[in-house]
Amino acid sequence: MLTRQEVRDAQARAAAVLADAGMVLTAAERAEIEVADFGLSRLEEIGLEVVVYVNTERVCAKELVLFPRQTCPEHRHPPHGASPGKEETFRCRQGTVYLYTEGEPTPNPACRAPGDDPSAFTVWREVVLRPGEQHTIAPNTLHWFQAGDEGAIVSEFSTTSTDELDVFTDPRIGRATVVQDE
Amino acid sequence: MLTRQEVRDAQARAAAVLADAGMVLTAAERAEIEVADFGLSRLEEIGLEVVVYVNTERVCAKELVLFPRQTCPEHRHPPHGASPGKEETFRCRQGTVYLYTEGEPTPNPACRAPGDDPSAFTVWREVVLRPGEQHTIAPNTLHWFQAGDEGAIVSEFSTTSTDELDVFTDPRIGRATVVQDE
């Protein structure tokens, strides 16, 4: 749960990060930046700021802003209907992103599991993305990612986004942010 | 037809435009920037510089660089196999882009048809895109676009790109650039 003020503050901070990087948003886009705390109420540690550029029945593109060391928690995009699930490519635009996916665990990974439940982070194959580097995640593949000390901007190119279908490893997580009225 | 030197020069120029805008490419990406003259051998007027970030069986993302007043000529993405055709969203990142699509012709459009055959430009509904503005083109819809006097950077988010299937209004156009050996 976040207060409206917390949402507004995070929106302004994310908009400033993008503006400093020369990425122009319209006023409407700035006002609609999604601030996700994943229901865990520890936004600085586990959270994500999202600009959805387009999300049609076929294609989705987003800009993701991660504050320093902020983590998008572990999840996968399962098959649904005729779709094998969402396929997504993460392209780092600024900062460093540590992406963890299924596969042989990386010895001495750069990140620690954030939050209060390390068991909610089960995949440890590390892919380090610096500006200009990218990685494609196949559908239904567990993944999570954390920004380095400077934060990060990540472009996401994907099939249709259906956030409500995402399966998170932490059973407490709800994808929709609950905003507390003040 | 372009000489290898013309291709290299256009690649370097496009890479510089992107770098100046803070958009980081890897060395491999810089070396593979596609320079399209559409077979018309008048690159400055009718041409496009393209960085393909990803092009899977489902999703494609590209960065397009247009030099000042450079035009991507009129074409459409027809249905093929089970696909209704490529759907694409153009998001202007820098400069101004004048996009022309099917519909009521705009009186006094900002652009003139480039090249030597005005009949190759048949759709004149003008959509002006400035940084942060975007437009989605439905499959099989005729469109063309021209940069303003400062040139432009355009992010393209789309379904799979199958350039070889594109249908151009100018029958002389070939999508693949022929490079002349020196």
Side-chain angles (χ1 to χ4, degrees):
Chain A
M1 190 179 284
L2 297 173
T3 66
R4 291 208 183 281
Q5 189 59 49
E6 286 171 321
V7 171
R8 279 192 294 261
D9 289 350
Q11 285 178 324
R13 202 169 148 200
V17 167
L18 292 170
D20 287 350
M23 301 184 104
V24 181
L25 301 184
T26 63
E29 287 171 334
R30 281 195 298 276
E32 285 166 16
I33 294 174
E34 183 194 0
V35 178
D37 80 338
F38 300 95
L40 298 178
S41 303
R42 45 172 82 222
L43 180 68
E44 289 292 319
E45 237 185 321
I46 301 179
L48 194 60
E49 292 68 44
V50 184
V51 181
V52 180
Y53 289 143
V54 61
N55 188 25
T56 73
E57 287 181 15
R58 302 172 74 192
V59 172
C60 181
K62 301 178 179 179
E63 217 73 71
L64 311 179
V65 174
L66 292 145
F67 299 145
R69 289 290 160 191
Q70 198 178 32
T71 295
C72 176
E74 186 176 292
H75 64 287
R76 59 186 170 85
H77 307 288
H80 58 97
S83 168
K86 185 188 181 202
E87 170 199 296
E88 52 193 18
T89 295
F90 296 116
R91 181 177 178 88
C92 180
R93 299 289 197 166
Q94 180 174 284
T96 303
V97 179
Y98 301 93
L99 173 64
Y100 296 90
T101 69
E102 297 180 16
E104 189 67 28
T106 299
N108 307 310
C111 299
R112 291 185 186 179
D116 61 356
D117 183 6
S119 75
F121 296 84
T122 68
V123 296
W124 287 93
R125 181 166 79 91
E126 183 177 271
V127 179
V128 183
L129 299 178
R130 296 190 174 84
E133 296 175 338
Q134 62 183 43
H135 187 82
T136 299
I137 305 275
N140 209 25
T141 305
L142 284 169
H143 60 286
W144 61 280
F145 48 98
Q146 185 175 115
D149 292 336
E150 312 297 316
I153 300 173
V154 177
S155 294
E156 181 186 314
F157 313 124
S158 75
T159 55
T160 308
S161 189
T162 49
D163 291 341
E164 66 283 6
L165 299 177
D166 294 351
V167 177
F168 286 87
T169 305
D170 186 336
R172 300 171 299 175
I173 285 181
R175 180 62 181 82
T177 298
V178 176
V179 178
Q180 186 173 31
D181 278 317
E182 283 147 315
Chain B
M1 189 179 287
L2 297 173
T3 66
R4 291 208 183 283
Q5 190 58 48
E6 286 172 322
V7 171
R8 279 192 295 263
D9 288 349
Q11 286 178 323
R13 203 169 148 197
V17 167
L18 292 169
D20 287 349
M23 303 186 104
V24 182
L25 301 185
T26 63
E29 287 171 335
R30 281 194 299 274
E32 287 165 16
I33 294 174
E34 183 193 0
V35 178
D37 80 338
F38 300 96
L40 298 179
S41 303
R42 44 173 81 222
L43 180 68
E44 290 292 319
E45 237 185 320
I46 301 181
L48 195 60
E49 291 69 44
V50 184
V51 180
V52 180
Y53 290 143
V54 61
N55 188 22
T56 73
E57 288 181 14
R58 301 172 74 192
V59 172
C60 181
K62 301 177 178 179
E63 217 73 72
L64 312 179
V65 175
L66 292 146
F67 299 143
R69 288 290 161 190
Q70 200 179 31
T71 294
C72 176
E74 185 175 292
H75 65 287
R76 60 186 170 84
H77 307 287
H80 58 98
S83 168
K86 185 187 181 203
E87 170 198 296
E88 53 193 16
T89 296
F90 295 115
R91 182 177 178 88
C92 180
R93 299 289 197 166
Q94 181 174 285
T96 303
V97 179
Y98 301 93
L99 173 63
Y100 296 89
T101 70
E102 297 180 16
E104 188 67 30
T106 298
N108 307 311
C111 298
R112 291 187 186 177
D116 61 356
D117 182 8
S119 74
F121 297 85
T122 68
V123 296
W124 288 93
R125 181 168 78 90
E126 181 178 271
V127 180
V128 182
L129 300 177
R130 296 191 173 82
E133 297 176 338
Q134 62 184 42
H135 187 82
T136 299
I137 304 274
N140 209 26
T141 304
L142 284 169
H143 59 287
W144 61 281
F145 47 97
Q146 185 175 115
D149 291 335
E150 313 296 317
I153 300 173
V154 177
S155 294
E156 180 186 313
F157 313 124
S158 75
T159 55
T160 308
S161 188
T162 50
D163 291 341
E164 66 282 8
L165 299 178
D166 293 351
V167 177
F168 287 86
T169 304
D170 186 336
R172 299 170 301 174
I173 285 181
R175 180 63 181 79
T177 298
V178 177
V179 179
Q180 186 174 31
D181 279 317
E182 284 146 319

